[in-house]
Amino acid sequence: MPHFTQHKRLLTGTFCLTKQELLCLLDETDREIMELSMQICSNGTYDFDQAFGKLFAWCQKTM
């Protein structure tokens, strides 16, 4: 997810080589979305309605 990496690099000047490094730098909401994305990409189980709600709220805040 280059969006998160590029965004954090622009704000802090820090470039993260891994998603795990990036997780440490994100605020709580961004970290939850990143963790959710990683869980979905690894075929982990998740509650669709809860995931949708979190992502929708994050998009509203971000945009």
Side-chain angles (χ1 to χ4, degrees), residues 24-42:
C24 296
L25 299 176
L26 296 175
D27 66 30
E28 183 180 355
T29 305
D30 288 346
R31 184 173 38 256
E32 286 179 2
I33 296 299
M34 183 73 168
E35 288 171 339
L36 178 61
S37 170
M38 292 167 65
Q39 183 178 1
I40 291 170
C41 288
S42 67

Side-chain angles (χ1 to χ4, degrees), residues 11-52:
L11 293 177
T12 66
T14 302
F15 180 79
C16 300
L17 295 175
T18 67
K19 291 176 184 177
Q20 292 301 322
E21 284 181 45
L22 178 58
L23 284 173
C24 296
L25 299 176
L26 296 175
D27 66 30
E28 183 180 355
T29 305
D30 288 346
R31 184 173 38 256
E32 286 179 2
I33 296 299
M34 183 73 168
E35 288 171 339
L36 178 61
S37 170
M38 292 167 65
Q39 183 178 1
I40 291 170
C41 288
S42 67
N43 293 320
T45 59
Y46 64 96
D47 179 287
F48 178 82
D49 291 332
Q50 183 180 11
F52 180 85

Side-chain angles (χ1 to χ4, degrees), residues 1-10 22 26 29-31 33-34 37 58:
M1 300 192 78
H3 165 73
F4 287 112
T5 304
Q6 183 64 23
H7 178 66
K8 271 300 169 188
R9 183 170 184 226
L10 290 173
L22 178 58
L26 296 175
T29 305
D30 288 346
R31 184 173 38 256
I33 296 299
M34 183 73 168
S37 170
W58 179 81

